[in-house]
Amino acid sequence: MPSSLIRGKYVICKAIDRYQVEMIEDGAVFQQDGKIVEIGSYADLSAKYQPDLLLGSANHVVLPGFVNSHHHVGLTPLQLGSLDYPLELWFATRFAARNVNLYLDTLYSAFEMVESGITTVQHIHGWRSGPSSSWSGVAEQILTAYKDLGMRVSYCFALRDQNHFVYESNDEFAKRLPPDIAPAMLEILKSYEMPAQDYLDLFVELWQNWDRNEGGRTRIQLAPANLHWCSDDALESLQTYSQKYGVGMHMHLLETIYQKVYAEKRTGKTAVRHLYDLGMLGPHLTLGHGVWLTEEDIDIVAETGTMICHNASSNLRLQSGIAPLNYYAKKGVTVGMGLDEAGINDDRDMLQEMRMVLKLHRVPGMDSLVPTAAQVFQMATEHGAKTTGFAQEVGSLEVGKAADIVLMDWHHIAYPYLDQDIPVIEAVLHRSKTSGVDTVMVEGEVILKEGKFTRVDKEAMLAELAASLSVPRTPEEEQRRDLSQKVFPHVKKFYDGWLNQCTCQSFYCQNSRH
C-alpha cells in the first residue's frame, strides 16, 4: 500500500459539538499502510514526509468518508416496479420485483454511494425465501461485490420467524384471502418460514469466514428484523449471540404508526419498553427509523445508550412520518443516518440526504432546537460509524484511525462567489454535489479517482446488469406480479380501523409548540 499525503484548502477532521468542527486550513493528512499517521499543516507535513503519492491540492476539501447506516438493495424499488405507497401496502408491491443478480445489484448501489463520498455501509439483507442452505451463497455474492469495489461493509441478515407479510401469522392472513389466491399466497409465505436457529447458524458461518478471518473491510452484525417479525424467543436468542460474539445489532423499529399499534396489541406497552424489559437495549443496538417513539421511549433510549438510525427520505416517501430528531438531540442520543432503499431523488446521494435532514426538522420558533450543519455532518460520519462494527476505525480523521477519506473540489462549492463569513462546514452541507467528489479512499487505497473507479469497470458492470434484465419475465416472476396485484386490496383491508385502536398520538408535531 503506497503512502500518501492528502492536501486540502480545508481539512475537516470531525465535529467538536453541535456547532463546530475541527478544521485545518491549508492542511494535510499523511497516511501509511492505510492508517493516519499525522494531520497538520501542509507546509509542515510536506517538509517532514516523502510520500509515494500526493493527492488533493490547495483547492480541495478533505473529509472523513461518510457512513450509510441503513441500506438494503441495489436497483431501487421504483426501478423494480414499486411506487411509494405507505410501508405496509408497499410490501405487497415489492412482492412483484424481478429476480436480480445480487452481485451486480449490489455494485449498482455501491457505485452511487461511493460517488457521493460514502466509504462504509450497513447492509441489512432483507427478504429471502428458502431453502436456508442457499443463504450463505447469497450473502457471499453481496459481500464479494463490496470487497471487489473496495468499500467497507457491515453486513447483517435480518431474522424473521413470524408474520412475514402483514402483522399477523401467515396462516391467519391466508384465511382472509379469496380461494383463488389463498393457496398460492400461502405457498410463497411458507417458503419464508425458517427456524431462528438457521439465521443464527448463518451469522456464525459469515462471522467466521468474513469477520474473524477476513477482517479488514468487512464486519458481520445481527439483525432482528422488527418486533412484528420476531418472536420474543428469537429476540432473546439474538441478544445472547450479540453478547457471545461481541457484535452489534440493527433493528427496524416503530417505522410506522401501524407498528406502534401492533406493539400495543402484542405487549400492552410500547415497543421500546418491551425491548427494555427483554434486556435488549444498550450501546450494542441500533434502532432503524424510530419515527413513533414516545417521550418516555426516548428517555429510555438515551439512558441505555441505544442508538438510532434516521432514514429521512424513506420516512417521507413511504408516509411513515417525521422522526423526532430534535428530541433525540436534546436527550443526547447517538443518531446515524441511512439512505434505506433509496433517497428522495431515488438514488444513494449522502450529500443530498444531509441537506434533507438539515432542513426537514426546522420547527417554528427563533429559539427552537433544530439541526445544525456540524450535527448533521457528525450523523453522517462519527455517529454513523458507531452503528457499524467500525466505530474505532472510521468516522473521523484522527491519528491511528483508518485513512477513509473523501476529497471534494472546493471550486464547485464556492464558485463564482461565496461570502467569507459563511463557515466552511455550512458551505459543504448546503452546496456540495456528487459532481464535486473527486477522490475517495478506503484504508489508504484510492477506489475512486477523478470520478473513475479504480478496481471495477462501472460501465461494463451496468451494461451486464441491464442485459440481464432485458429478457422477458420468467413464469415465476409473472406469477408473483399477478399475485401482488390481487393481494394488494386485501392487505389494505387488513389494516382498516387500526389507527382507531392507537391509544395515543405522537407527542411530536412539526407545526405545534410544546
Side-chain angles (χ1 to χ4, degrees):
M1 180 74 68
S3 64
S4 53
L5 186 64
I6 304 102
R7 182 186 184 184
K9 179 180 180 69
Y10 305 107
V11 176
I12 302 176
C13 299
K14 62 179 181 178
I16 299 172
D17 53 33
R18 279 175 43 80
Y19 301 100
Q20 303 177 80
V21 294
E22 180 183 311
M23 186 180 76
I24 303 171
E25 294 191 37
D26 196 14
V29 179
F30 177 70
Q31 73 81 26
Q32 191 167 32
D33 298 325
K35 297 291 185 182
I36 295 174
V37 175
E38 189 171 354
I39 305 171
S41 73
Y42 173 70
D44 290 345
L45 269 59
S46 60
K48 183 175 181 179
Y49 296 103
Q50 299 297 317
D52 298 313
L53 297 173
L54 178 61
L55 302 172
S57 71
N59 196 43
H60 278 88
V61 184
V62 178
L63 307 157
F66 300 126
V67 180
N68 181 3
S69 300
H70 192 108
H71 172 74
H72 294 294
V73 295
L75 289 167
T76 71
L78 185 73
Q79 288 175 289
L80 292 172
S82 293
L83 294 174
D84 291 348
Y85 291 103
L87 180 73
E88 287 76 14
L89 293 177
W90 182 79
F91 286 146
T93 70
R94 293 289 285 134
F95 211 53
R98 299 192 65 179
N99 299 321
V100 184
N101 179 300
L102 290 178
Y103 176 82
L104 297 174
D105 191 56
T106 302
L107 282 177
Y108 174 76
S109 54
F111 289 143
E112 293 187 332
M113 285 190 273
V114 171
E115 287 168 340
S116 75
I118 296 169
T119 54
T120 300
V121 60
Q122 176 70 60
H123 188 116
I124 307 161
H125 198 140
W127 295 93
R128 197 72 204 173
S129 60
S132 58
S133 59
S134 69
W135 292 352
S136 177
V138 165
E140 293 279 340
Q141 292 180 60
I142 293 169
L143 292 170
T144 300
Y146 287 119
K147 181 180 178 180
D148 288 351
L149 191 64
M151 278 187 77
R152 289 186 190 274
V153 57
S154 178
Y155 176 89
C156 47
F157 197 99
L159 189 157
R160 294 173 169 84
D161 72 333
Q162 63 177 26
N163 305 345
H164 291 84
F165 200 59
V166 298
Y167 301 162
E168 73 171 0
S169 73
N170 299 337
D171 289 332
E172 290 301 314
F173 179 64
K175 291 177 183 178
R176 300 175 183 270
L177 301 177
D180 62 322
I181 64 172
M185 189 68 195
L186 187 59
E187 180 182 358
I188 290 176
L189 292 179
K190 289 294 184 183
S191 72
Y192 289 105
E193 295 180 1
M194 297 294 159
Q197 190 59 49
D198 287 7
Y199 291 88
L200 298 172
D201 291 345
L202 173 66
F203 159 75
V204 173
E205 178 184 347
L206 294 175
W207 180 82
Q208 290 175 334
N209 293 340
W210 286 88
D211 194 317
R212 188 183 65 176
N213 295 329
E214 183 74 18
R217 302 178 194 181
T218 304
R219 295 287 184 272
I220 305 297
Q221 293 196 320
L222 291 160
N226 205 319
L227 183 62
H228 57 271
W229 279 318
C230 293
S231 66
D232 285 356
D233 286 344
L235 292 173
E236 290 172 341
S237 295
L238 286 162
Q239 175 71 1
T240 298
Y241 272 62
S242 174
Q243 293 175 336
K244 178 179 179 180
Y245 290 92
V247 301
M249 294 193 291
H250 195 114
M251 181 180 187
H252 292 73
L253 197 76
L254 296 171
E255 182 174 354
T256 73
I257 192 170
Y258 295 95
Q259 293 176 9
K260 180 177 183 178
V261 175
Y262 170 82
E264 293 172 348
K265 293 171 68 171
R266 168 173 161 177
T267 71
K269 49 195 168 186
T270 71
V272 169
R273 172 59 69 175
H274 185 63
L275 294 179
Y276 177 80
D277 291 344
L278 289 177
M280 289 193 65
L281 299 185
H284 65 296
L285 178 64
T286 300
L287 303 177
H289 295 279
V291 176
W292 289 91
L293 273 67
T294 66
E295 288 184 276
E296 181 186 18
D297 289 340
I298 296 173
D299 287 336
I300 293 172
V301 166
E303 290 166 6
T304 57
T306 304
M307 295 179 285
I308 299 282
C309 180
H310 183 35
N311 305 307
S313 284
S314 175
N315 296 338
L316 290 176
R317 293 184 64 166
L318 302 183
Q319 296 177 235
S320 299
I322 298 174
L325 178 63
N326 297 336
Y327 286 81
Y328 295 149
K330 182 179 179 181
K331 296 293 183 176
V333 176
T334 296
V335 183
M337 189 183 306
L339 289 164
D340 208 335
E341 305 277 359
I344 203 72
N345 285 341
D346 209 52
D347 58 15
R348 283 71 176 213
D349 184 347
M350 183 58 81
L351 304 174
Q352 172 74 27
E353 192 71 10
M354 287 194 289
R355 273 190 292 282
M356 167 77 72
V357 173
L358 186 63
K359 307 299 177 60
L360 179 62
H361 303 274
R362 297 181 67 78
V363 296
M366 295 183 183
D367 298 315
S368 297
L369 179 71
V370 298
T372 64
Q375 174 193 347
V376 173
F377 172 74
Q378 188 175 45
M379 289 171 63
T381 53
E382 186 178 6
H383 282 187
K386 290 181 178 180
T387 71
T388 73
F390 298 103
Q392 303 304 313
E393 299 169 64
V394 303
S396 60
L397 302 182
E398 298 181 70
V399 172
K401 283 198 169 185
D404 287 22
I405 296 173
V406 175
L407 282 79
M408 195 176 291
D409 178 18
W410 176 250
H411 183 81
H412 97 285
I413 294 172
Y415 183 84
Y417 178 75
L418 181 69
D419 193 277
Q420 64 181 5
D421 290 339
I422 295 296
V424 173
I425 190 63
E426 296 280 357
V428 170
L429 265 288
H430 282 87
R431 294 187 51 79
S432 59
K433 309 292 192 299
T434 56
S435 60
V437 175
D438 178 85
T439 301
V440 176
M441 303 178 69
V442 177
E443 205 173 18
E445 178 191 359
V446 175
I447 66 169
L448 184 77
K449 178 63 174 175
E450 297 178 354
K452 300 293 183 181
F453 289 90
T454 61
R455 285 183 169 210
V456 176
D457 185 333
K458 175 185 174 182
E459 296 309 317
M461 292 297 101
L462 294 184
E464 187 177 348
L465 177 60
S468 71
L469 292 168
S470 66
V471 299
R473 288 175 179 265
T474 66
E476 182 266 339
E477 288 174 328
E478 287 289 0
Q479 180 194 30
R480 283 192 287 103
R481 184 186 191 186
D482 179 62
L483 193 57
S484 170
Q485 294 170 352
K486 289 179 177 178
V487 80
F488 185 92
H490 299 284
V491 173
K492 187 175 187 300
K493 184 178 179 180
F494 172 78
Y495 293 102
D496 284 350
W498 271 52
L499 300 192
N500 297 332
Q501 303 172 42
C502 191
T503 58
C504 61
Q505 295 299 311
S506 174
F507 71 97
Y508 182 65
C509 181
Q510 287 282 70
N511 293 330
S512 68
R513 300 286 293 153
H514 297 282

